Structures are given as structure tokens and as C-alpha cells.
Amino acid sequence: MAETKKNIDPSTIEGYVDMQTKFEAYTGDEPYLFISYSHRDTAQVYPILDALYDRKYRIWYDESCETGNDFRDELRQRIKKCEAVILFVSEASMSSPFCGMEIIVAREYDKRLYPIYLDSSEVPPAFQILLANTHHSTADNMDKLVKAMVRDLPAVAMDRLTTSDGLLLKCEDNGRNIAVDEGIVEICDEAFKGRRALHNIKLPDTLETIGTESFRGCNNLEEMDIPVNTRRIGESAFRDCTNMKRLAIRNNCIKIGERAFENCAKLVEVDLPEGLTEIYGGVFNSCKSLKQITLPKKLTILGESAFSDCIMLESIEIPETVTKIDDLAFNGCQNLTKIELHEGVKKIGKSAFKNCRSLTKIALPTTVTSISNAPFRGCESLKSIRVEPKNKNYKSEPNKREGTDHVLFNKNKSVIIAYPASSREIQYEIPDSVTVVSDWAFCECKKLTRITIPDSVHEIGEGAFCNCEVLDEVEIPDSVTLIDDCAFRGCVSLEKVVIPSTVTELGWGLFDGCETKVTVYCEEGSPVQEYCRRNGIREARLSEEVDD
């Protein structure tokens, strides 16, 4: 709170006319705040007390105007047992013998004093030493004052948790450490959302459900131990808990919602229950400090983007029970050098290992029946994609020069799926069995200077030759009818592309990044010529190419 003194304007306090608070003074055994004030300031003090009560503070104050030694003894005992004293400083309180006594007793019991200045009154010399180094606060309106008090008053004097019939509905944002009472079975949606003061929390054994976004944005929460009886964690429940370092989940039958721990950027230790069967989409997306994790032995599905952008993840073993690795599951795991797939994996989703830039080799088991587009897009260090020979749906073609398996095809080699970006070959002839060059098939092949496309090919997929930086010339056969989006994007050395008039479908951004250097040879009046003129691509006649 501010160190300067300003007045609280009573005219800003609306709707208070009966000079009573909405609550009775606290008399229990939990920590509470003692209020020292002059009854002549009631019209200013009571609305502030009501505002603090609305924020769940336990408050003791005197409304009786009693006198005598017995009452003085009661005040002394109330101060002795309180957590802190709020002192309303005014001309009236500074001339009150009771307020003077309360200040002295508070200092005697080493209680923290929180002065609130109601007017411009000076503290009498007798109290100046006693109030030295205490907490000075003031504000020019009620909202600012209450926010400042909630920020700085001792959290233990507050009932921070709002509960009802086993539900935890809401938590106030001023507690560093919280223990949730036994008997709570559900933490409701957004109950702790954005509670930046929270560092540690102990959950009760009775807890069954953690709601959607319930702890999202608790960016100082340090660790989380999920009780054994908790059966559901809602979507984005701990998303953006950027300082969480440790996570333990114990219930074998738990369901973890999508993006539950997304962007827990400092998470390094994860203990998952052995019985967990599914990790849904984005659960550990952007957990940028996670270096290793042991996946449960009964896991069957890795959901979309489950470990996407876990940039420190180095190796991972997929359990034998896993049947599906969904789209983008390991996208952006740029330090992943080893991934082991066991027999049992059936489906590998779109871009499942996209931008795993340190991955050098991968072996696909016999059980794989479906591989979606661009599984290894951006895997710039990949040298070998080996398929078990008994696989009925896919095969790998050996690199004759290096003697390693590397190029991935479907079983009858009609589709080329992926060419390892780090192959040492500088030229490659696509087999004449191929009819489709898949999306991103040759992406990041930075050593290939020439690729020969046979006249069996009729379709060239999206980004098929993207970032082939030394590719300088390509001739498209007249069997091709479609060249999809961004097919030659980033081919910065590309100077000459021959495209026949049979190509009638041309995607956007075909030559992004090389449009100032490339010349497209095409026929007069063809869709290719129209495309070049529309997009400012240099074009020349096919007849000129023949003459050359």
C-alpha cells in the first residue's frame, strides 16, 4: 500500500445509512483481524469493514461503546489472539484513550499494525514511535483501498475458500499456501483461475473432480499432487501454470482433459499412473523444460499435440499398448533424438513428428496400417525411415550408396511419403511406380540438387519440395495435373521449372521465396502462364526451353 496520506472521501461511499455492519464480530478460534477505530468514524469505517467481510475476512470489532476495566481486559485479550490490527487513523481516533491503549497493546504483543488514514490528522508524538515501520495505507476510493488491503493483509485471517455441499466454488487471491479441507469432492470450473499469489496447495483425499480451467494461470504454483481418488481433471485445468516443476497423478482410472497441463513451462518431473489409457490433445503441449517422461504401460492413445513443443524432450519409448499417435503429437520436439515404437502401433497422425529436428532415424513396426500426411516434415536430421519387411501397408527403399533404409513408400510404391532430409544423396530419381508425391515429402532436403520426376506421377502435394535449398532445376512431366500449395517454397536456388499445359490446378504460393530468381517454362495460353502473370513470376515459352 502507498506510503503517502490521502483522505477517503465519505461522499464516495454510497448506500450506507443505518450505521450497522452486515455481519457480527467474529468470535471463533481461527485467525482474525482486530479493528481499532473511533465510533465517531462509523460512517466511514463500517462500509470498509463490510467490503473486507465480502472478501471473506474474519473481523472482530467493538460496536458497544462500553467502558470500564472489564472491557479493557476484553480488548487486551482480543488483541492478543488476533492475527493483525487495522487502525483507522483520524482526529477522533488519535484523541481516543481506547485507541491509544489498543495501539500500545498491539505493540506489546508484537502485532502488525495496518493504519488506514481517514483524514489528514497527524499522529500524536506519543504514537509516532509505536507506529514507526508499520503498514501505512490510504486510497482515494473504496475499490483501490480494498484491493490494496486484500493484497497485503495476512491471508490466514481470511476464509479464502468459498464452499457449498462438498463443492469448492472460489478462492480469493491472497494466499501463498492453502490446504483444502477434507470433504470437498469437486473443485469447480475456474475456482483458482489466475490466483497468482498461490504457491502451494494440498488437496484432500476426498477430491474426485478438478474442473475446467480450475487452476489456469496460477503462475506461481510450484507443484501438484493429485489425490488417489481424483477421477477427472478438466480441460486446461492447470494450463499456464508456468512455474510448476513437479506433477504426480495417482488414480489409474483418471480422465485428463485436453490441454490440462499446457504451457507448464518449468515442469521437469511427471509421475503418471500405470493404468492411464489415454493422453488427450495438448495435455503436455509446450512443457518446454520436460526432458523425459515414462509413459504408462496401459496407454493406448497419444492425442493431438500431446507433447507438441516440448523442446527439451530427448527420448521417449512408446508402450506396446499404444495403437494411435495422433496429429502433431510430437511436433516441435526439436531435441528428441530417439523414439521407440513397439509392435501394436496402428495409426500415425498428420505431422506427428513435425520439426523433430534432432531425430536421425525411426523404425516403423509391422502393425502400422495408416500414416497421415507429412509425418516427418521438418525432421532435418533424419537419415533413415525403416519399415519392418512384414508390414502389409508400407515399405522402405534402401539407399544403395549408404546401405541404409531411408525412403518411405506405401506398399506398392505408388505413393512416396517421405524422403529423409539428411540423406547424403545429391540426386534422386523417383521410381516410375509412383503416382503421387505426398505433401512435404522432400521438405528440408538441403543436399538434393536434382530430382527426376517420372511420367507416372499425376499429383504433387502441398510443400512437396519446400526448402530444398540447392535444388536448381525441375521438369514436371505431362502426366501431372495438380501442383499443390507451396510446392517449391523456399527453394532459393531454383532457376528453371518446366511445367506443361496438362497442369490445370496450381496452388497458392508455389514459388514463395524464390519468385525473383525462377523462370517457369510453359505454353502460351496455358493455366500455368496465367498463374505466372497473376503472381508476378517470370515465364518463358516451352519452345524456348527446347531451343536451349
Side-chain angles (χ1 to χ4, degrees):
M1 298 183 190
E3 294 294 329
T4 57
K5 299 181 183 181
K6 297 180 183 178
N7 294 340
I8 298 175
D9 184 357
S11 67
T12 65
I13 303 173
E14 299 179 358
Y16 196 91
V17 294
D18 56 3
M19 301 302 176
Q20 293 181 353
T21 61
K22 62 173 68 174
F23 64 95
E24 295 182 358
Y26 180 76
T27 57
D29 296 326
E30 297 292 323
Y32 61 89
L33 302 173
F34 180 96
I35 308 301
S36 178
Y37 72 108
S38 168
H39 289 277
R40 285 186 286 171
D41 297 323
T42 295
Q44 291 176 268
V45 171
Y46 280 13
I48 298 173
L49 299 188
D50 282 344
L52 291 176
Y53 177 77
D54 289 341
R55 301 302 292 266
K56 312 294 287 184
Y57 281 99
R58 295 182 287 271
I59 299 169
W60 189 91
Y61 70 103
D62 161 45
E63 58 179 341
S64 64
C65 298
E66 293 185 30
T67 59
N69 289 333
D70 290 344
F71 184 63
R72 292 178 187 272
D73 289 341
E74 181 180 1
L75 291 178
R76 173 177 288 274
Q77 290 303 311
R78 293 293 181 188
I79 295 172
K80 182 179 180 179
K81 294 179 180 180
C82 78
E83 185 66 26
V85 174
I86 296 179
L87 171 64
F88 285 95
V89 178
S90 68
E91 181 179 352
S93 67
M94 290 299 96
S95 62
S96 165
F98 278 97
C99 290
M101 183 207 78
E102 290 162 357
I103 294 172
I104 295 171
V105 172
R107 299 301 291 171
E108 177 185 337
Y109 288 118
D110 198 26
K111 300 297 181 179
R112 186 72 184 271
L113 282 164
Y114 290 81
I116 307 296
Y117 291 89
L118 299 178
D119 57 32
S120 58
S121 297
E122 294 291 331
V123 176
F127 292 153
Q128 287 179 359
I129 295 178
L130 294 178
L131 289 179
N133 299 319
T134 58
H135 201 97
H136 296 263
S137 68
T138 183
D140 54 12
N141 63 59
M142 177 73 77
D143 287 341
K144 288 178 65 176
L145 175 62
V146 172
K147 285 179 180 178
M149 295 175 77
V150 169
R151 182 191 66 214
D152 294 331
L153 288 172
V156 293
M158 173 190 274
D159 289 322
R160 286 165 285 175
L161 307 181
T162 302
T163 63
S164 176
D165 297 326
L167 304 179
L168 197 161
L169 304 172
K170 183 182 178 182
C171 174
E172 299 295 339
D173 188 21
N174 76 330
R176 182 184 178 90
N177 304 302
I178 291 178
V180 179
D181 292 338
E182 293 292 328
I184 295 297
V185 297
E186 180 177 349
I187 295 176
C188 295
D189 296 352
E190 302 186 9
F192 290 84
K193 184 176 181 180
R195 299 301 183 252
R196 293 176 176 82
L198 181 63
H199 281 67
N200 299 284
I201 186 167
K202 185 179 186 303
L203 302 178
D205 292 337
T206 53
L207 187 65
E208 297 176 2
T209 300
I210 297 175
T212 298
E213 296 193 358
S214 50
F215 290 89
R216 182 173 182 180
C218 293
N219 54 14
N220 284 304
L221 187 63
E222 297 172 5
E223 62 180 23
M224 181 51 57
D225 195 330
I226 308 295
V228 69
N229 291 313
T230 303
R231 299 195 299 264
R232 186 176 76 84
I233 299 174
E235 293 182 8
S236 300
F238 296 92
R239 187 174 177 180
D240 303 325
C241 292
T242 52
N243 277 294
M244 186 192 296
K245 298 177 180 65
R246 176 184 170 273
L247 167 67
I249 302 175
R250 309 190 183 284
N251 191 319
N252 279 316
C253 300
I254 199 165
K255 297 295 183 184
I256 304 175
E258 293 186 0
R259 305 187 182 277
F261 300 97
E262 181 176 63
N263 198 32
C264 291
K266 292 188 178 179
L267 188 64
V268 294
E269 183 180 342
V270 177
D271 184 6
L272 298 176
E274 287 298 321
L276 184 67
T277 59
E278 297 183 5
I279 295 179
Y280 291 114
V283 168
F284 294 104
N285 184 14
S286 296
C287 292
K288 298 182 184 296
S289 299
L290 190 64
K291 290 186 177 181
Q292 60 183 6
I293 185 170
T294 301
L295 297 179
K297 293 181 179 179
K298 294 185 179 180
L299 191 69
T300 60
I301 293 176
L302 279 170
E304 181 176 348
S305 299
F307 292 94
S308 186
D309 290 323
C310 290
I311 59 174
M312 297 301 293
L313 191 64
E314 296 175 348
S315 65
I316 194 162
E317 181 177 355
I318 308 299
E320 296 177 2
T321 50
V322 170
T323 59
K324 182 181 181 182
I325 300 173
D326 216 335
D327 299 350
L328 298 163
F330 294 96
N331 168 46
C333 295
Q334 60 190 35
N335 280 300
L336 186 64
T337 59
K338 180 181 179 182
I339 184 161
E340 187 172 350
L341 303 179
H342 290 286
E343 294 290 328
V345 174
K346 295 180 180 180
K347 296 183 178 181
I348 297 176
K350 181 178 180 180
S351 302
F353 303 100
K354 178 183 175 183
N355 292 331
C356 291
R357 300 190 182 280
S358 299
L359 189 65
T360 59
K361 61 182 180 179
I362 191 165
L364 303 179
T366 60
T367 51
V368 175
T369 60
S370 173
I371 301 176
S372 294
N373 289 348
F376 306 110
R377 174 183 173 186
C379 295
E380 60 187 29
S381 300
L382 194 61
K383 294 181 179 180
S384 175
I385 309 169
R386 185 177 182 277
V387 181
E388 287 295 325
K390 292 184 179 180
N391 188 295
K392 296 180 180 180
N393 299 277
Y394 299 96
K395 69 182 302 180
S396 52
E397 181 182 81
N399 181 325
K400 295 177 182 179
R401 190 179 75 171
E402 296 184 18
T404 58
D405 293 329
H406 72 299
V407 185
L408 178 61
F409 298 88
N410 66 342
K411 192 65 174 180
N412 65 7
K413 291 181 66 174
S414 63
V415 179
I416 183 168
I417 299 169
Y419 186 97
S422 194
S423 172
R424 294 181 185 178
E425 298 283 0
I426 61 173
Q427 297 185 16
Y428 182 70
E429 292 186 12
I430 297 175
D432 59 11
S433 59
V434 172
T435 61
V436 175
V437 179
S438 284
D439 295 351
W440 311 97
F442 290 88
C443 179
E444 308 291 343
C445 292
K446 300 189 188 306
K447 294 183 177 67
L448 284 175
T449 61
R450 196 66 55 86
I451 299 173
T452 302
I453 304 172
D455 60 9
S456 57
V457 172
H458 61 76
E459 180 180 322
I460 295 175
E462 179 182 354
F465 304 102
C466 179
N467 291 335
C468 291
E469 293 181 351
V470 295
L471 186 66
D472 58 8
E473 183 176 326
V474 176
E475 183 173 349
I476 307 297
D478 58 13
S479 57
V480 173
T481 60
L482 166 66
I483 303 176
D484 213 338
D485 303 338
C486 306
F488 299 99
R489 186 176 69 188
C491 296
V492 292
S493 299
L494 192 60
E495 296 180 352
K496 178 181 178 181
V497 180
V498 179
I499 305 180
S501 59
T502 55
V503 179
T504 56
E505 295 183 64
L506 297 108
W508 61 270
L510 290 184
F511 302 102
D512 281 356
C514 53
E515 57 269 82
T516 60
K517 190 172 186 178
V518 70
T519 298
V520 174
Y521 289 83
C522 58
E523 294 181 1
E524 183 74 32
S526 67
V528 182
Q529 183 189 51
E530 181 184 346
Y531 179 92
C532 290
R533 291 181 176 179
R534 188 169 64 247
N535 290 279
I537 308 298
R538 186 186 301 112
E539 42 99 6
R541 300 291 69 75
L542 270 176
S543 56
E544 297 175 25
E545 190 272 337
V546 172
D547 292 339
D548 292 342

